[in-house]
Amino acid sequence: MTSKKLAETANALVADGKGILAADESSPTIKKRFDSIKLASTEKNRRDYRNMLFTTPEAGTYISGAILYDETIRQKAADGKTLVSKLKGAGIIPGIKVDMGAKPLAGHPEETVTEGLDGLRDRLKEYAKLGARFTKWRGVYRIGETIPSPACVVANAHALARYAALAQEAGLVPIVEPEVLMDGDHSIDVCEEVTEEVLRSVYAELAGQNVWLEGTLLKPNMVISGQDCPEQAGVAEVAERTVRCLKRTVPAVVPGIVFLSGGQDDELATQHLDAMNKLGNLPWKLSFSYGRALQAAPLKAWSGKAKNVSAGQAAFFERAKANGEAATGSYA
């Protein structure tokens, strides 16, 4: 794929009023979600659940792309059509998670580095043939008294950059996801400091690997208080600090920033995104790439029952619409 095509895909993913559905939960993660509705995590149930989301009428009005798991990009629905074809038919761009998860970082207890670079070139070629047009790789950073360490910051940034270069080589847009976790009792001040350090490292490594930024997207955490912090920052402060941090670190040529929800309440994640867009004067599009914040309501409404598919789709469309409006700063 040419640079022009990479840019076209990246910009399509952050088209006005649209964002990305993160449907790339690993088998253990989706099992936890199914446990909440007392449903067995079988291949068929996972397929039927994701098919329900992907075939929601008019979902493409607010959903530009969907990040898939390896199992999902290969699956066929009950009618024999691939789930990828269902997405394409809805005007939704298929994407794929390509990392192999966060593993213990040797010599650094409590910290991780994301693995999956070995064999990635060949896997990317296969995913492109299966219909993917973009990819995602997540680096994870925990905040503690002495962490994240410089070694953790650099190791994950380097992996993200090498992944991004390989994705572009394969003609796929890389979504770069450095996530500073909200786990802990740290203040919003500490979150802002760590997020800035992480993003500076990531963009230095991307430059070192000759990644073409116009053909990438960033998927970061918001600058937010730790979930156990006794003082929780309000919506306006989260918006202001997040945008300030991003303006300090993210080059203006990046087409868009698609936030992860990171365990936030559904409504709060929407409010934060809306408040950021209402600030205006932004060099990049700000949108969403939510998993749980888009799926919690439809999962509960569906509850694994065929008779509830319409209810699940209605709940999904409602969350997609709310976040689509927030992506333009027009959420009431």
Side-chain angles (χ1 to χ4, degrees), residues 188-189 223 225 232-242:
I188 192 171
D189 292 330
V223 174
S225 309
Q232 292 290 312
V235 170
E237 184 177 5
V238 169
E240 291 166 5
R241 284 178 178 258
T242 302

Side-chain angles (χ1 to χ4, degrees), residues 60-79:
T61 305
Y62 302 105
I63 301 297
S64 58
I67 308 171
L68 307 180
Y69 189 54
D70 180 82
E71 175 185 73
T72 316
I73 201 170
R74 306 173 190 279
Q75 282 179 316
K76 293 182 179 180
D79 61 5

